Amino acid sequence: MEHDRPPPRSRGIYLLPNLFTTCGLFAGFYAIIAAANSHFTAAAIAVFVAGLADGVDGRVARLTGTSSEFGVQYDSLADLVSFGLAPALVMYHWSLSALKLDGGMLGRVGWAVAFLYAACAALRLARFNTQVGIVDKRWFVGLASPAAAGLMMSFVWAFADGELGWNGEELRYVALGVTLVAALLMVSRIRYWSFKGSGEGGARADRVPFAVLLIVPVVIALLVIDLPRVLLAVGVIYALSGPVMALWQRMRPSEPAV
């Protein structure tokens, strides 16, 4: 019966998902370096590259059967750099640092709000790690840190390339509002659709409504037309979807008890 046993899985395959995590970590680190050298478009793009790597590593681990507690913890630490520290520092170097032009107090407000964003991202990741397997997988509780980073970096990218005629210094108060809102939404109790399936068990767990598949090619076509501005529009719509849905559910009359 020995020959009927499947060969042991090579331990080397565990490097594959962690390799994608490392790529995401490097992208976040590069974004910080690029922002410090005033290469803001490259910095924003690097954070989106980190988001792509973050979306791949977990799926690779599940498809290859190489999920591990080490990979989960490593991914969370990498996310803190890529979606917490990197967006905060890119936004600070691009725009929030210009608040010091309006006085020393506002200058301190700029870096304080940047720190608040990074702290909220850390709290959001910690809460997510403690709620895995407890909450409905169809929903995120609070704006996910990659989505918050996408909102921040699409805002930077949309204006840093010079196409719209405004720079970070001129938009410093708008940037302050975007950073503050993104930070607070991450630690809020507002639910956001996770795009992770139906929430059912078994083979139907990863299924999504057919309408979602119809939206994907439309979004791709729009991205080809004007990538940074469309990403900003998508980020704003998704960030607003949670509060709008919560308000709608609050205002909707409750069904009478039978």
Side-chain angles (χ1 to χ4, degrees):
M1 297 296 291
E2 293 290 335
H3 64 276
D4 293 332
R5 295 180 179 178
R9 186 183 298 274
S10 172
R11 295 181 64 86
I13 199 171
Y14 283 86
L15 293 175
L16 188 58
N18 292 324
L19 179 62
F20 284 102
T21 303
T22 303
C23 290
L25 176 61
F26 173 77
F29 177 78
Y30 173 80
I32 296 173
I33 299 299
N37 289 280
S38 300
H39 300 157
F40 300 115
T41 299
I45 293 173
V47 174
F48 279 104
V49 172
L52 292 175
D54 180 65
V56 170
D57 60 1
R59 291 194 176 276
V60 168
R62 288 190 293 272
L63 288 174
T64 58
T66 55
S67 300
S68 66
E69 184 61 26
F70 172 83
V72 172
Q73 299 304 322
Y74 182 38
D75 179 69
S76 182
L77 292 172
D79 287 353
L80 177 57
V81 174
S82 299
F83 309 130
L85 293 177
L89 291 173
V90 172
M91 184 68 86
Y92 177 78
H93 285 298
W94 178 67
S95 183
L96 297 179
S97 60
L99 287 168
K100 63 186 177 183
L101 299 176
D102 300 319
M105 177 62 72
L106 284 174
R108 290 189 289 272
V109 169
W111 65 256
V113 171
F115 168 74
L116 176 66
Y117 176 89
C120 288
L123 293 170
R124 172 67 179 81
L125 289 166
R127 185 174 69 183
F128 176 80
N129 289 344
T130 59
Q131 292 180 342
V132 172
I134 300 176
V135 298
D136 190 337
K137 66 176 292 184
R138 293 174 297 174
W139 309 99
F140 290 129
V141 179
L143 184 63
S145 58
L151 173 63
M152 295 267 285
M153 294 301 94
S154 62
F155 177 72
V156 173
W157 189 3
F159 292 97
D161 62 2
E163 293 291 332
L164 298 180
W166 289 297
N167 57 37
E169 180 180 324
E170 296 169 333
L171 294 170
R172 56 189 180 273
Y173 288 104
V174 180
L176 184 69
V178 170
T179 306
L180 186 60
V181 169
L184 296 180
L185 285 177
M186 279 192 289
V187 295
S188 71
R189 303 295 300 178
I190 297 174
R191 295 198 309 173
Y192 286 87
W193 192 27
S194 68
F195 302 98
K196 287 187 177 180
S198 64
E200 302 175 8
R204 299 175 60 86
D206 293 326
R207 294 187 180 183
V208 296
F210 181 72
V212 175
L213 299 181
L214 297 178
I215 296 173
V216 170
V218 175
V219 173
I220 292 175
L222 293 174
L223 289 174
V224 172
I225 296 173
D226 192 343
L227 182 57
R229 262 64 67 178
V230 172
L231 284 174
L232 177 59
V234 171
V236 170
I237 291 172
Y238 183 69
L240 291 176
S241 66
V244 169
M245 182 173 59
L247 183 62
W248 168 258
Q249 291 178 344
R250 182 179 294 270
M251 295 178 61
R252 188 175 59 182
S254 58
E255 297 181 358
V258 177

